[in-house]
Protein backbone atom coordinates (compact mmCIF):
# COMPACT_ATOMS: atom_id res chain seq x y z
CA UNK A 1 0.00 0.00 0.00
CA UNK A 2 1.24 3.54 -0.69
CA UNK A 3 2.39 5.40 2.38
CA UNK A 4 0.54 8.37 3.82
CA UNK A 5 2.80 11.41 4.34
CA UNK A 6 2.49 12.71 7.91
CA UNK A 7 4.06 15.44 10.03
CA UNK A 8 4.24 15.02 13.81
CA UNK A 9 4.26 17.96 16.23
CA UNK A 10 5.82 17.45 19.66
CA UNK A 11 6.91 19.41 22.70
CA UNK A 12 8.46 16.76 24.93
CA UNK A 13 9.61 13.21 25.41
CA UNK A 14 8.07 11.83 22.26
CA UNK A 15 7.06 8.36 23.40
CA UNK A 16 3.91 8.61 21.30
CA UNK A 17 6.08 9.67 18.36
CA UNK A 18 8.23 6.61 19.07
CA UNK A 19 5.15 4.38 18.97
CA UNK A 20 4.33 5.73 15.49
CA UNK A 21 7.95 5.39 14.34
CA UNK A 22 8.02 1.78 15.55
CA UNK A 23 4.69 0.96 13.93
CA UNK A 24 5.84 2.52 10.65
CA UNK A 25 8.92 0.27 10.74
CA UNK A 26 6.56 -2.68 11.02
CA UNK A 27 3.55 -2.20 8.79
CA UNK A 28 1.82 1.10 9.52
CA UNK A 29 1.56 2.62 6.03
CA UNK A 30 2.82 6.11 6.84
CA UNK A 31 5.97 8.02 6.09
CA UNK A 32 6.91 10.58 8.72
CA UNK A 33 8.10 13.50 6.60
CA UNK A 34 9.16 15.63 9.56
CA UNK A 35 8.96 16.05 13.31
CA UNK A 36 8.48 19.63 14.46
CA UNK A 37 8.97 20.81 18.04
CA UNK A 38 8.28 24.15 19.66
CA UNK A 39 10.92 23.25 22.25
CA UNK A 40 14.57 22.98 21.21
CA UNK A 41 15.34 20.50 23.99
CA UNK A 42 12.43 18.10 23.40
CA UNK A 43 13.79 14.56 23.71
CA UNK A 44 11.48 13.46 20.93
CA UNK A 45 13.75 15.29 18.47
CA UNK A 46 16.49 12.81 19.37
CA UNK A 47 14.14 9.93 18.66
CA UNK A 48 13.39 11.39 15.22
CA UNK A 49 17.05 11.96 14.39
CA UNK A 50 17.83 8.40 15.39
CA UNK A 51 15.17 7.22 12.94
CA UNK A 52 16.57 9.47 10.16
CA UNK A 53 13.48 11.66 10.14
CA UNK A 54 14.00 15.37 9.34
CA UNK A 55 13.46 17.60 12.36
CA UNK A 56 12.59 21.26 12.69
CA UNK A 57 12.40 23.52 15.71
CA UNK A 58 10.06 26.46 15.77
CA UNK A 59 10.18 28.20 19.13
CA UNK A 60 6.99 30.02 20.00
CA UNK A 61 9.02 32.42 22.13
CA UNK A 62 10.53 33.86 18.96
CA UNK A 63 7.12 35.12 17.87
CA UNK A 64 5.23 38.12 19.15
CA UNK A 65 1.82 36.46 19.17
CA UNK A 66 -0.01 33.19 18.54
CA UNK A 67 -1.14 34.22 15.05
CA UNK A 68 2.39 34.78 13.77
CA UNK A 69 3.68 31.57 15.38
CA UNK A 70 0.84 29.58 13.85
CA UNK A 71 1.37 31.17 10.42
CA UNK A 72 5.04 30.18 10.48
CA UNK A 73 4.14 26.71 11.78
CA UNK A 74 1.59 26.16 9.01
CA UNK A 75 4.12 27.30 6.39
CA UNK A 76 6.68 24.86 7.77
CA UNK A 77 4.22 21.95 7.98
CA UNK A 78 2.89 22.56 4.47
CA UNK A 79 6.42 22.57 3.03
CA UNK A 80 6.39 18.81 3.76
CA UNK A 81 3.00 18.35 2.06
CA UNK A 82 1.53 16.00 4.69
CA UNK A 83 -1.90 14.45 4.33
CA UNK A 84 -2.16 14.07 8.09
CA UNK A 85 -0.81 16.14 10.99
CA UNK A 86 -0.39 14.50 14.41
CA UNK A 87 -0.19 16.35 17.71
CA UNK A 88 1.80 14.06 19.98
CA UNK A 89 2.32 15.79 23.30
CA UNK A 90 2.25 19.17 21.58
CA UNK A 91 1.67 21.81 24.25
CA UNK A 92 0.61 24.98 22.40
CA UNK A 93 -3.01 25.92 21.87
CA UNK A 94 -3.60 26.47 18.14
CA UNK A 95 -5.52 29.40 16.63
CA UNK A 96 -8.85 28.94 14.82
CA UNK A 97 -7.37 29.78 11.40
CA UNK A 98 -4.64 27.19 11.83
CA UNK A 99 -7.08 24.52 12.96
CA UNK A 100 -9.45 25.23 10.06
CA UNK A 101 -6.58 24.87 7.58
CA UNK A 102 -6.05 21.27 8.77
CA UNK A 103 -9.70 20.45 9.28
CA UNK A 104 -10.28 16.71 9.01
CA UNK A 105 -6.57 15.97 8.73
CA UNK A 106 -5.20 16.73 12.19
CA UNK A 107 -5.39 14.38 15.19
CA UNK A 108 -4.49 14.83 18.87
CA UNK A 109 -3.88 12.41 21.69
CA UNK A 110 -5.26 13.66 24.97
CA UNK A 111 -4.51 11.96 28.31
CA UNK A 112 -8.04 11.61 29.64
CA UNK A 113 -11.36 9.97 28.84
CA UNK A 114 -12.79 13.00 27.05
CA UNK A 115 -15.04 14.90 27.55
CA UNK A 116 -13.72 14.55 31.13
CA UNK A 117 -10.64 16.59 32.02
CA UNK A 118 -10.06 18.76 29.00
CA UNK A 119 -6.95 20.94 29.22
CA UNK A 120 -3.83 20.37 31.30
CA UNK A 121 -2.83 18.31 34.39
CA UNK A 122 -5.38 15.62 33.62
CA UNK A 123 -3.90 12.90 35.84
CA UNK A 124 -3.74 15.05 38.96
CA UNK A 125 -7.28 16.25 38.33
CA UNK A 126 -8.53 12.68 37.82
CA UNK A 127 -7.01 11.70 41.16
CA UNK A 128 -8.56 14.69 42.90
CA UNK A 129 -11.95 13.82 41.39
CA UNK A 130 -11.49 10.26 42.73
CA UNK A 131 -12.61 8.68 39.47
CA UNK A 132 -12.26 4.90 39.24
CA UNK A 133 -11.48 4.89 35.53
CA UNK A 134 -9.13 7.13 33.59
CA UNK A 135 -7.55 6.86 30.17
CA UNK A 136 -6.70 8.49 26.86
CA UNK A 137 -8.54 9.69 23.77
CA UNK A 138 -7.69 10.30 20.12
CA UNK A 139 -9.72 13.09 18.53
CA UNK A 140 -9.86 15.23 15.43
CA UNK A 141 -8.61 18.68 16.30
CA UNK A 142 -11.20 21.45 16.05
CA UNK A 143 -11.29 25.03 17.29
CA UNK A 144 -12.75 23.84 20.57
CA UNK A 145 -9.79 22.87 22.76
CA UNK A 146 -9.86 19.10 23.36
CA UNK A 147 -13.45 19.22 22.13
CA UNK A 148 -13.18 17.72 18.65
CA UNK A 149 -14.92 14.48 17.63
CA UNK A 150 -13.48 11.50 19.53
CA UNK A 151 -12.32 8.51 17.49
CA UNK A 152 -11.04 5.98 20.00
CA UNK A 153 -10.43 5.73 23.73
CA UNK A 154 -8.69 3.32 26.08
CA UNK A 155 -9.26 3.16 29.80
CA UNK A 156 -7.21 2.11 32.80
CA UNK A 157 -8.15 1.61 36.44
CA UNK A 158 -7.14 4.18 39.02
CA UNK A 159 -5.47 2.11 41.75
CA UNK A 160 -5.08 2.74 45.48
CA UNK A 161 -1.80 4.54 46.10
CA UNK A 162 -1.62 6.04 42.61
CA UNK A 163 0.00 9.41 42.20
CA UNK A 164 -0.04 11.46 39.01
CA UNK A 165 3.15 9.77 37.83
CA UNK A 166 2.06 6.15 38.28
CA UNK A 167 -1.30 6.93 36.73
CA UNK A 168 0.31 8.76 33.78
CA UNK A 169 2.55 5.76 33.09
CA UNK A 170 -0.44 3.39 33.03
CA UNK A 171 -2.30 5.70 30.64
CA UNK A 172 0.76 6.19 28.42
CA UNK A 173 0.95 2.45 27.71
CA UNK A 174 -2.55 2.67 26.27
CA UNK A 175 -1.72 5.82 24.32
CA UNK A 176 0.99 3.88 22.51
CA UNK A 177 -1.65 1.41 21.34
CA UNK A 178 -4.49 3.71 20.33
CA UNK A 179 -2.50 6.37 18.47
CA UNK A 180 -1.00 3.99 15.89
CA UNK A 181 -4.42 2.34 15.64
CA UNK A 182 -6.24 5.56 14.71
CA UNK A 183 -3.45 6.57 12.33
CA UNK A 184 -3.74 3.15 10.68
CA UNK A 185 -7.48 3.64 10.09
CA UNK A 186 -6.84 7.08 8.59
CA UNK A 187 -3.98 5.84 6.41
CA UNK A 188 -6.12 2.98 5.15
CA UNK A 189 -8.81 5.45 4.12
CA UNK A 190 -11.25 3.98 6.64
CA UNK A 191 -11.49 7.10 8.84
CA UNK A 192 -12.62 10.59 7.94
CA UNK A 193 -14.62 13.58 9.12
CA UNK A 194 -17.77 14.36 7.11
CA UNK A 195 -19.18 17.79 6.29
CA UNK A 196 -21.23 17.72 9.51
CA UNK A 197 -18.07 17.12 11.56
CA UNK A 198 -19.08 13.55 12.28
CA UNK A 199 -16.56 10.74 12.29
CA UNK A 200 -17.02 8.20 9.55
CA UNK A 201 -15.33 4.84 10.20
CA UNK A 202 -15.68 2.03 7.67
CA UNK A 203 -18.49 3.89 5.91
CA UNK A 204 -20.59 4.38 9.03
CA UNK A 205 -21.09 7.46 11.19
CA UNK A 206 -19.55 6.77 14.59
CA UNK A 207 -22.07 7.68 17.28
CA UNK A 208 -19.83 6.89 20.23
CA UNK A 209 -16.04 6.59 20.31
CA UNK A 210 -14.51 3.18 19.74
CA UNK A 211 -13.34 1.67 23.04
CA UNK A 212 -10.09 -0.26 22.74
CA UNK A 213 -11.39 -2.87 25.19
CA UNK A 214 -14.26 -3.66 22.81
CA UNK A 215 -12.14 -4.34 19.75
CA UNK A 216 -11.91 -8.10 19.14
CA UNK A 217 -8.31 -9.28 19.42
N1 LIG B 1 -5.60 23.57 19.64
C1 LIG B 1 -6.88 23.59 19.30
N2 LIG B 1 -7.35 24.67 18.67
N3 LIG B 1 -7.72 22.56 19.57
C2 LIG B 1 -7.26 21.49 20.23
O1 LIG B 1 -8.10 20.49 20.49
C3 LIG B 1 -5.90 21.43 20.64
C4 LIG B 1 -5.09 22.53 20.30
C5 LIG B 1 -3.74 22.54 20.69
C6 LIG B 1 -3.21 21.51 21.44
C7 LIG B 1 -3.48 19.41 22.74
C8 LIG B 1 -4.08 19.66 24.15
C9 LIG B 1 -4.07 18.40 25.01
O2 LIG B 1 -4.24 17.30 24.49
C10 LIG B 1 -4.03 20.44 21.82
C11 LIG B 1 -5.37 20.37 21.40
C12 LIG B 1 -1.93 22.53 25.33
C13 LIG B 1 -2.80 23.22 26.17
C14 LIG B 1 -2.38 24.49 26.84
O3 LIG B 1 -3.08 25.01 27.68
C15 LIG B 1 -4.08 22.72 26.34
C16 LIG B 1 -4.47 21.57 25.68
C17 LIG B 1 -3.59 20.90 24.84
C18 LIG B 1 -2.32 21.38 24.67
N4 LIG B 1 -1.20 25.06 26.49
C19 LIG B 1 -0.64 26.33 27.01
C20 LIG B 1 -0.81 27.46 26.00
O4 LIG B 1 -0.87 28.61 26.46
C21 LIG B 1 0.84 26.20 27.29
C22 LIG B 1 1.17 25.14 28.27
C23 LIG B 1 2.66 24.79 28.32
O5 LIG B 1 3.44 25.30 27.50
O6 LIG B 1 3.03 23.96 29.16
O7 LIG B 1 -0.81 27.21 24.78
O8 LIG B 1 -3.98 18.51 26.26
C1 LIG C 1 1.16 12.22 26.59
O1 LIG C 1 0.62 11.66 27.76
C2 LIG C 1 0.10 13.01 25.86
O2 LIG C 1 -1.16 12.43 25.90
C3 LIG C 1 0.13 14.29 26.62
O3 LIG C 1 1.48 14.53 26.94
C4 LIG C 1 2.18 13.30 26.95
C5 LIG C 1 3.28 13.37 25.93
O4 LIG C 1 4.09 12.24 26.02
N1 LIG C 1 -0.41 15.38 25.88
C6 LIG C 1 -0.79 16.50 26.46
O5 LIG C 1 -0.81 16.64 27.66
C7 LIG C 1 -1.18 17.59 25.51
N2 LIG C 1 -1.45 18.76 26.24
P1 LIG C 1 5.12 11.90 24.87
O6 LIG C 1 5.86 13.19 24.52
O7 LIG C 1 6.02 10.90 25.51
O8 LIG C 1 4.35 11.36 23.71
Amino acid sequence: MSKLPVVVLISGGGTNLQAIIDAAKENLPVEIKAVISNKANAYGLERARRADIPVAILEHRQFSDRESFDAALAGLIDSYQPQLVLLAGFMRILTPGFVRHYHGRMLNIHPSLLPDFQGLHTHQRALEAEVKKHGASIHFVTEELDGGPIIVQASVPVLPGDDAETLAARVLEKEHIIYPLAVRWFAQGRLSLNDRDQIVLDGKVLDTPVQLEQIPA
Side-chain angles (χ1 to χ4, degrees), residues 4-135:
L4 187 86
V6 308
V7 165
V8 183
L9 305 189
I10 63 166
S11 301
T15 66
N16 278 291
L17 166 66
Q18 189 70 56
I20 308 273
I21 291 173
D22 292 347
K25 275 190 206 136
E26 294 293 324
N27 58 14
L28 181 69
V30 304
E31 181 173 348
I32 304 175
K33 293 289 183 184
V35 170
I36 301 173
S37 175
N38 66 313
K39 302 255 191 192
N41 62 357
Y43 184 71
L45 291 168
E46 198 50 53
R47 299 178 186 276
R49 290 189 193 104
R50 220 187 292 148
D52 283 318
I53 298 165
V55 303
I57 297 159
L58 195 68
E59 292 189 285
H60 59 271
R61 292 170 189 287
Q62 314 264 352
F63 294 83
S64 53
D65 52 40
R66 286 184 191 267
E67 298 288 344
S68 56
F69 172 69
D70 280 11
L73 182 58
L76 184 59
I77 293 170
D78 288 351
S79 73
Y80 297 101
Q81 296 181 269
Q83 289 181 27
L84 181 65
V85 177
L86 301 176
L87 308 184
F90 183 70
M91 297 306 292
R92 297 301 297 175
I93 295 172
L94 297 161
T95 54
F98 180 98
V99 168
R100 272 197 296 275
H101 179 65
Y102 297 103
H103 191 80
R105 52 191 183 110
M106 180 158 61
L107 306 183
N108 178 45
I109 181 150
H110 181 78
S112 79
L113 293 174
L114 290 171
D116 290 347
F117 310 117
Q118 297 174 338
L120 302 177
H121 312 299
T122 57
H123 307 302
Q124 189 58 45
R125 288 159 58 209
L127 289 171
E128 282 161 12
E130 298 184 26
V131 295
K132 291 198 176 68
K133 260 177 46 172
H134 186 45

